[in-house]
């Protein structure tokens, strides 16, 4: 099973873009035909409730290098460069040095999840009020435009295999390692395959779990999970 399909079964949506500042309890705005955008950095900036929320952190043992996503070459390089930009390694310019190839495989290791139980969140919203009068927030709530991140998956390690359509040479690999930071290493897996392993000091977001906040004429109705079947992020 691919990593993306596995995560969907867990209710998670793999993050595609270079923006990776996702945190649990962020509120995102998703209007029809528009991309999702950060709305409130934290739930408490918009809502208040007498109910407490407790975060649960766990190791994501099933997310490892055995579950991989395989991409066509140019698509994979584009995905990789988005990730490298997030990690502060955008100056590698992989696409400038590797112009032709067959495929790119991406996987992660040493992953954890940080989640808030959905039952606690439903109870929270059932007793919640806006922090102050806010007609725009009410409009977006009634139109079900608001997504709350109920969980985020983080990883420490990134592993990439780039299968080219030409024979690699030691000078090319050395040029990548010369530019790369200490936590990033390149090696030849075969004559035509370049392997990249990144081991960061901290965790970075790789996937999110989110639900739409369902309001009906100003009254909270429910939370509807959307990241198990939609690609908003």
């Amino acid at each position: 099973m691919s990593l993306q399909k596995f995560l969907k079964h867990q209710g998670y949506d793999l993050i595609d873009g270079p923006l990776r500042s996702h945190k649990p309890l962020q509120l995102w705005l998703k209007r029809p035909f528009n991309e999702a955008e950060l709305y409130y950095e934290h739930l408490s900036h918009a809502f208040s409730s007498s109910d407490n929320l407790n975060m649960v952190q766990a190791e994501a043992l099933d997310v490892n290098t055995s579950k991989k996503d395989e991409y066509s070459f140019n698509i994979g390089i584009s995905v990789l460069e988005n990730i490298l930009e997030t990690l502060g390694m955008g100056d590698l310019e992989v696409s400038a040095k590797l112009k032709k190839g067959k495929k790119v495989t991406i996987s992660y290791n040493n992953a954890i999840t940080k989640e808030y139980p959905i039952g606690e969140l439903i109870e929270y919203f059932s007793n919640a009020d806006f922090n102050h009068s806010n007609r725009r927030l009410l409009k977006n709530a009634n139109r079900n435009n608001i997504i709350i991140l109920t969980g985020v998956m983080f990883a420490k390690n990134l592993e990439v295999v780039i299968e080219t359509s030409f024979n690699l040479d030691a000078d090319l690999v050395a040029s990548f390692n010369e530019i790369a930071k200490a936590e990033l290493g390149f090696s030849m897996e075969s004559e035509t395959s370049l392997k990249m392993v990144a081991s960061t000091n901290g965790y970075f977001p790789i996937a999110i779990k989110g639900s739409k906040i369902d309001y009906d004429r100003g009254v909270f109705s429910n939370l509807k999970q959307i990241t198990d079947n939609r690609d908003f992020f």
Side-chain angles (χ1 to χ4, degrees):
M1 182 182 293
S2 74
L3 176 61
Q4 290 195 52
K5 287 183 179 179
F6 172 78
L7 291 177
K8 286 293 183 188
H9 284 299
Q10 309 301 314
Y12 277 88
D13 179 18
L14 196 65
I15 300 169
D16 293 328
L19 176 64
R20 289 176 186 258
S21 56
H22 304 74
K23 301 173 185 175
L25 299 187
Q26 282 180 341
L27 299 181
W28 287 68
L29 195 63
K30 178 63 180 77
R31 299 187 185 95
F33 310 112
N34 289 354
E35 292 187 359
E37 58 182 294
L38 183 62
Y39 194 24
Y40 286 93
E41 181 63 31
H42 193 273
L43 169 66
S44 62
H45 296 171
F47 293 87
S48 58
S49 175
S50 58
D51 291 272
N52 294 321
L53 297 172
N54 301 288
M55 186 183 72
V56 178
Q57 179 173 319
E59 293 184 13
L61 297 177
D62 291 328
V63 177
N64 51 53
T65 53
S66 68
K67 293 182 176 63
K68 308 174 182 181
D69 280 327
E70 185 177 294
Y71 303 91
S72 299
F73 181 76
N74 287 315
I75 294 174
I77 293 296
S78 301
V79 172
L80 173 60
E81 289 190 323
N82 274 339
I83 298 171
L84 291 175
E85 182 181 335
T86 302
L87 300 177
M89 305 172 189
D91 55 351
L92 282 172
E93 298 182 339
V94 177
S95 59
K97 296 181 178 180
L98 301 176
K99 297 183 180 297
K100 295 186 296 181
K102 298 178 180 179
K103 64 181 181 180
V104 177
T105 304
I106 298 176
S107 60
Y108 299 93
N109 208 356
N110 288 332
I112 61 170
T113 57
K114 295 182 179 181
E115 294 187 17
Y116 284 85
I118 200 71
E120 287 189 8
L121 285 165
I122 290 174
E123 190 68 21
Y124 178 97
F125 280 108
S126 297
N127 299 310
D129 191 7
F130 295 168
N131 286 341
H132 52 78
S133 176
N134 191 328
R135 288 186 293 174
R136 183 169 180 263
L137 179 59
L138 177 62
K139 180 179 179 180
N140 283 314
N142 283 333
R143 292 185 176 181
N144 298 338
N145 288 337
I146 305 173
I147 298 172
I148 181 169
L149 301 194
T150 60
V152 178
M153 183 176 291
F154 302 84
K156 269 192 173 182
N157 305 122
L158 166 70
E159 185 173 301
V160 181
V161 176
I162 303 171
E163 188 175 331
T164 69
S165 55
F166 58 90
N167 287 342
L168 299 167
D169 60 68
D171 289 341
L172 177 61
V173 178
S175 70
F176 277 120
N177 283 319
E178 186 176 341
I179 300 172
K181 297 181 179 180
E183 61 266 25
L184 186 63
F186 290 85
S187 61
M188 288 175 58
E189 191 169 64
S190 70
E191 289 184 348
T192 58
S193 293
L194 180 68
K195 184 175 183 178
M196 187 200 84
V197 177
S199 300
T200 62
N201 292 324
Y203 288 95
F204 58 95
I206 63 170
I208 61 99
K209 180 183 286 188
S211 294
K212 278 200 170 185
I213 305 173
D214 184 4
Y215 268 80
D216 184 12
R217 298 183 181 181
V219 178
F220 172 73
S221 176
N222 204 355
L223 292 177
K224 298 180 179 178
Q225 185 168 293
I226 47 89
T227 46
D228 55 348
N229 59 15
R230 303 295 296 273
D231 294 312
F232 287 152
F233 295 86

